Amino acid sequence: MIAPVNGTADVLMPGFTMRPSSVPAAQTNLPRWTAPSMQTKTPGCTYLVYCADSVAVSWISSETCLSGEEIQVFEECAEQLNVVMLGDLDGARAGTRIVLCGPEKFVAVGASVARSYGALDVELVPLVLDVTEYGVVDETARDRRVYCGGCRSVSNAHTAVGDLVLCSGCGARVIVHYHYSRDMAAFLAQPLGRARPTGFNGFSAGKEGRA
């Protein structure tokens, strides 16, 4: 089960630090999303459709081949999504496709939950609606999950990569880093002016920041 959110992290200083020019965005593991599109269904496949909100429902109903009766809405509630997806996937057969539509945070959480229950990347259909430019790393401000490297709690924050935010777990000032974990659907936030804990590898044990 994906780590629950502890609270909301307030942005203290936008653009506090920048990704070094020696580390090109293309060489990081920050997510890159393709433009959302789904005009045809694969014959023989069953589609499970999860939407973040009414905006996602409206978009997917008008812009894709999916019908209204296939759509489930979760208002970005990770806990509810986790329970429902477990039930759906428990009886799913080969050929099932998992469609996730909404902001990046919702899609990333849904993909993480699905993979934790055994779904493969090829079975996921991510339809991200809040990216400013597709096919490249988008570091601009939007709703993100932020993982504090100090207290290891997860916060919600409307932040850009490089912003200084206040951790909702321990109250530390943390920098939203350019390291990302698909398992946690979160960006690493490194405590300002604090050494990394012994054995710290970016995320909690066994959860390396891989793309």
Side-chain angles (χ1 to χ4, degrees), residues 9-187:
D10 297 323
V11 176
L12 301 176
M13 186 179 297
F16 179 80
T17 186
M18 303 297 292
R19 174 176 42 78
S21 58
S22 60
V23 183
Q27 293 182 12
T28 69
N29 67 350
L30 296 176
R32 304 160 182 78
W33 304 101
T34 57
S37 177
M38 186 176 173
Q39 301 304 316
T40 60
K41 294 182 180 180
T42 302
C45 286
T46 300
Y47 288 82
L48 302 173
V49 186
Y50 306 95
C51 287
D53 49 33
S54 59
V55 173
V57 172
S58 177
W59 185 90
I60 210 168
S61 298
S62 62
E63 301 294 331
T64 73
C65 60
L66 299 167
S67 58
E69 63 270 15
E70 298 173 302
I71 299 172
Q72 301 184 68
V73 186
F74 293 91
E75 299 298 333
E76 299 197 52
C77 179
E79 291 78 11
Q80 182 187 12
L81 177 62
N82 187 84
V83 172
V84 173
M85 190 176 287
L86 172 59
D88 289 344
L89 296 182
D90 186 52
R93 298 181 177 181
T96 297
R97 296 294 181 264
I98 302 162
V99 181
L100 300 156
C101 183
E104 177 190 70
K105 184 178 70 171
F106 174 84
V107 173
V109 166
S112 176
V113 171
R115 282 193 294 266
S116 73
Y117 292 140
L120 304 176
D121 285 342
V122 71
E123 296 170 325
L124 303 178
V125 183
L127 303 174
V128 179
L129 303 182
D130 67 337
V131 175
T132 56
E133 185 177 358
Y134 292 98
V136 298
V137 170
D138 184 355
E139 299 173 273
T140 59
R142 62 179 181 277
D143 291 339
R144 304 179 188 272
R145 284 166 51 93
V146 176
Y147 175 84
C148 176
C151 69
R152 301 193 175 188
S153 65
V154 176
S155 304
N156 283 330
H158 187 80
T159 180
V161 175
D163 285 356
L164 183 69
V165 305
L166 190 67
C167 173
S168 65
C170 63
R173 295 179 297 167
V174 295
I175 303 169
V176 181
H177 216 255
Y178 53 89
H179 292 298
Y180 180 78
S181 169
R182 293 199 316 167
D183 290 343
M184 302 190 72
F187 292 77

